[in-house]
């Protein structure tokens, strides 16, 4: 999408580099994050950015061999904004001084304008309340001597050079993190920088849609494309965008592994085949999957069994599509960014996630990934742009292995059936009470215990279930949703009355961490 005005973010490994990209996208500015190791003068010329942001990072510029920006960057006449480590890199490379340690400052701090400084340019509109600005700090080192040409615009008790600028070169460098929410005016500061650098905000979904369609047509030509459809937002938007670009050259494959929610398979088929008129192979392979899973209780074995079968089955149907050369996938930007990792070794596998990673190589297919540049909420926006109903776009995430991982202990057909019914009642309750959109994800897990109850005059000995509902921004951390006792009581009564096989309902109040969202 090179036609857009582009901002280059050089990533020095901060935990929040992605948030810089989020803020920019919110301001309709296209950006690319590149790890500092991969950025050379040639790379910068190739990307041809209108401006550059240097991210924060965990290293210390005082350490020998610590990360730097290419020195040539500072001679290219581009506006540059350095954040935290990015500021220190600028000072160090441009002739100032940074001192290590003893100046740590984490969390909220207040910046006040430096004496006698006129607040104009990119600082216009800041410090308006009581003459000070709340910012978020997270640093160990600090600048102790400015590089030639820079002046101090704002200071904080622990960072005398909290905001610095060399207006003549449009170089700005701040000690705090303007990209995080705890710097309330951070976005305004970034916006001022962008406008001054000449960004007009040309990154809109309508423009993206047009260009994506053009790019897909160029890439695919007259060849056939296969797209795996899960019913989730990413694969659905991918399919609809491709359909718009290449129509009949697209065939979608939807594998029903028998672990979907109530009526879900029918809904997906109706939506794509009937509403959008997309060529769709709907494969009911539930017997195969459930047959392989029956009696399995180990969570990782469940996940691996499903993942392997899925690839086999998908391949079988894809082979039937004559002349297919491409596989379309709903890969998103966060999966693509090669963020700088300072942690060293591979991180611990908490759960092996279900995906079709190995599929393209195995089948000799080339990839079409039209969402590679988008974040999740941008995908939703694109979905709206493409006419997907809000009710569909706003759906809670649903994991690839489906109900298998909401059925701790042995999987049986009976338990899956009970789970489906209980889940449907629970979600109905949440919708009726108008809570669906406030919750990131909600579901029922059927527990591998039977408990004694009394209904009517008889004894029951049925399953217990757990309700789960969490709030989250990205699924990485989560908190349980604070339902009222009335809601929980009413829901428990409905589930026990309406779902044969359950006689006890519990509510899971574990946050993530230490829990995970799913039970397995
Ligand atoms: P956990 O349970 O790890 O889940 O806290 C975080 C989010 O990821 C979803 N999830 C999956 N999604 N394939 C997926 O596509 C998987 O194997 C998978 N496992 C968990 C989960 O539903 C939650 O939204």
């Amino acid at each position: 999408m090179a036609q857009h005005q582009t901002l280059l973010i050089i990533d020095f490994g901060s935990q929040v580099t992605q948030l810089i990209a989020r803020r920019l996208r919110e301001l309709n500015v296209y950006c690319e994050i590149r790890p500092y190791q991969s950025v050379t003068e040639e790379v910068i010329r190739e990307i041809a950015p209108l401006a550059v942001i240097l991210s924060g990072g965990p290293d210390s510029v005082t350490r020998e061999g610590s990360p730097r920006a290419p020195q040539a960057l500072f001679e290219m006449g581009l506006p540059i904004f350095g954040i935290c480590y990015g500021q220190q890199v600028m000072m160090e490379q441009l002739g100032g001084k940074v001192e290590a340690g003893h100046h740590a400052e984490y969390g909220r701090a207040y910046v006040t304008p430096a004496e006698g400084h006129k607040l104009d340019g990119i600082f216009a509109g800041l410090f308006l309340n009581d003459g000070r600005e709340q910012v978020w700090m997270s640093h160990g080192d600090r600048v102790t001597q400015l590089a030639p040409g820079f002046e101090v615009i704002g200071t904080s008790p622990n960072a005398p050079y909290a905001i610095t600028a060399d207006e003549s070169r449009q170089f700005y460098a701040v000690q705090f993190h303007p990209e995080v929410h705890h710097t309330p005016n951070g976005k305004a500061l970034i916006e001022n920088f962008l406008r001054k650098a000449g960004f007009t905000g040309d990154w809109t979904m309508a423009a993206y849609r047009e260009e994506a369609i053009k790019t897909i047509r160029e890439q695919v030509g007259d060849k056939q494309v296969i797209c795996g459809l899960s019913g989730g937002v990413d694969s659905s938007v991918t399919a609809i965008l491709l359909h718009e670009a290449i129509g009949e050259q697209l065939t979608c494959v939807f594998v029903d592994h028998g672990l979907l929610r109530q009526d879900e398979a029918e809904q997906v088929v109706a939506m794509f085949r009937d509403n959008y008129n997309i060529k769709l192979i709907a494969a009911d392979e539930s017997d195969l999957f459930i047959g392989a899973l029956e009696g399995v209780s180990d969570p990782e074995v469940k996940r691996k069994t499903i993942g392997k079968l899925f690839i086999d089955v998908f391949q079988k149907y894809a082979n039937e599509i004559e002349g297919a050369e491409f596989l379309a996938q709903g890969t998103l930007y966060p999966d693509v960014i090669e963020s700088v990792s300072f942690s060293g070794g591979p991180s611990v596998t908490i759960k092996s996630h279900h995906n079709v990673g190995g599929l393209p190589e195995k089948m000799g297919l080339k990839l079409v990934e039209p969402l590679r540049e988008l974040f999740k909420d941008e995908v939703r926006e694109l979905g709206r742009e493409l006419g997907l109903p809000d009710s569909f776009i706003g759906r809670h995430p649903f994991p690839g292995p489906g109900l298998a991982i909401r059925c701790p202990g042995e999987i049986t057909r009976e338990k899956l059936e009970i789970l489906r019914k209980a889940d449907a009642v629970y979600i109905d309750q949440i919708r009726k009470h108008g809570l669906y959109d406030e919750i990131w994800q909600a579901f029922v897990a059927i527990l591998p215990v039977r408990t004694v109850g009394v209904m009517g005059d008889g004894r029951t000995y049925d399953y217990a279930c757990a309700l789960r509902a969490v709030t989250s921004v990205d699924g990485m951390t989560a908190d349980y949703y604070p339902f009222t006792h009335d809601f929980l009581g009413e829901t428990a009564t409905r589930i026990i009355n309406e779902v044969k096989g359950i006689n006890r309902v519990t509510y899971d109040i574990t946050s993530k961490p230490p829990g995970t969202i799913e039970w397995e």
Side-chain angles (χ1 to χ4, degrees), residues 33-52:
I33 301 178
R34 296 289 175 97
Y36 73 92
Q37 302 99 322
S38 69
V39 180
T40 59
E41 184 179 352
E42 296 75 62
V43 169
I44 300 172
R45 292 202 189 284
E46 213 171 280
I47 297 173
L50 211 54
V52 175

Side-chain angles (χ1 to χ4, degrees), residues 26 60 121 160 194 218-219 224 258 268 281 305 317 373 428 445 513:
E26 284 162 15
S60 168
L194 296 173
E218 279 166 15
Q219 188 191 357
Q224 297 290 318
V268 172
I281 299 175
T305 306
Y317 286 96
E373 291 167 347
D428 183 58

Side-chain angles (χ1 to χ4, degrees), residues 2-41:
Q3 298 94 319
H4 287 288
Q5 293 182 321
T6 300
L7 185 139
L8 169 64
I9 299 170
I10 301 183
D11 181 19
F12 290 110
S14 157
Q15 298 288 323
V16 289
T17 300
Q18 281 209 27
L19 289 181
I20 307 174
R22 290 295 316 123
R23 299 287 93 80
L24 295 173
R25 297 288 183 89
E26 284 162 15
L27 294 164
N28 294 331
V29 166
Y30 178 75
C31 65
E32 291 201 14
I33 301 178
R34 296 289 175 97
Y36 73 92
Q37 302 99 322
S38 69
V39 180
T40 59
E41 184 179 352

Side-chain angles (χ1 to χ4, degrees), residues 226-230 250-256 278-283 310 313-319 321 327:
I226 307 169
C227 178
L229 210 53
S230 70
L250 173 73
T251 308
C252 290
V253 177
F254 169 63
V255 178
D256 178 358
I278 290 181
K279 264 202 274 179
L280 174 66
I281 299 175
F310 187 88
V313 167
F314 190 86
Q315 196 166 4
K316 181 177 91 185
Y317 286 96
N319 283 341
I321 303 164
L327 179 73

Side-chain angles (χ1 to χ4, degrees), residues 234-342:
D234 304 342
S235 70
S236 302
V237 171
T238 304
I240 293 168
L241 187 65
L242 268 132
H243 182 63
E244 216 175 277
I246 56 169
E248 290 288 292
Q249 283 163 254
L250 173 73
T251 308
C252 290
V253 177
F254 169 63
V255 178
D256 178 358
H257 52 19
L259 302 161
L260 297 170
R261 289 162 292 187
Q262 194 159 286
D263 302 326
E264 194 166 10
E266 294 77 11
Q267 284 164 8
V268 172
V269 172
M271 163 114 153
F272 289 92
R273 194 180 273 160
D274 308 342
N275 260 12
Y276 278 92
N277 214 8
I278 290 181
K279 264 202 274 179
L280 174 66
I281 299 175
D284 179 358
E285 292 286 353
S286 45
D287 280 338
L288 177 73
F289 280 82
I290 308 293
L293 288 169
E294 243 167 344
V296 175
S297 51
D298 182 278
E300 278 300 293
V301 176
K302 287 178 189 172
R303 283 173 172 274
K304 295 218 161 91
T305 306
I306 296 166
K308 186 184 167 308
L309 278 181
F310 187 88
I311 291 188
D312 291 348
V313 167
F314 190 86
Q315 196 166 4
K316 181 177 91 185
Y317 286 96
N319 283 341
E320 291 172 9
I321 303 164
E322 226 160 281
E325 284 192 18
F326 291 92
L327 179 73
Q329 275 186 359
T331 317
L332 305 191
Y333 193 52
D335 310 325
V336 174
I337 307 175
E338 190 197 333
S339 283
V340 183
S341 165
F342 282 88

Side-chain angles (χ1 to χ4, degrees), residues 142-182:
R142 71 175 186 195
V143 175
T144 51
Q145 188 189 315
L146 287 179
F150 278 83
E151 59 177 334
V152 184
I153 310 287
T155 64
S156 80
N158 262 317
Y161 300 117
I163 305 178
T164 60
D166 175 350
E167 285 286 354
S168 67
R169 290 187 282 181
Q170 287 196 66
F171 285 177
Y172 304 95
V174 299
Q175 180 62 78
F176 57 89
H177 287 270
E179 70 275 34
V180 305
H181 278 294
H182 292 90

Side-chain angles (χ1 to χ4, degrees), residues 303 350-355 396-402 405-406 440-441 443 468 470 474-478 512 515-520:
R303 283 173 172 274
I350 305 290
K351 300 174 182 187
S352 45
H353 268 219
H354 170 72
N355 65 46
H396 292 170
F398 185 65
I405 57 172
R406 296 179 178 176
W440 157 270
Q441 197 170 7
F443 58 87
R468 183 85 163 129
V470 295
D474 50 17
M476 303 293 288
T477 56
K512 173 184 180 174
T516 54
I517 295 176
E518 303 288 347
W519 272 52
E520 290 193 332

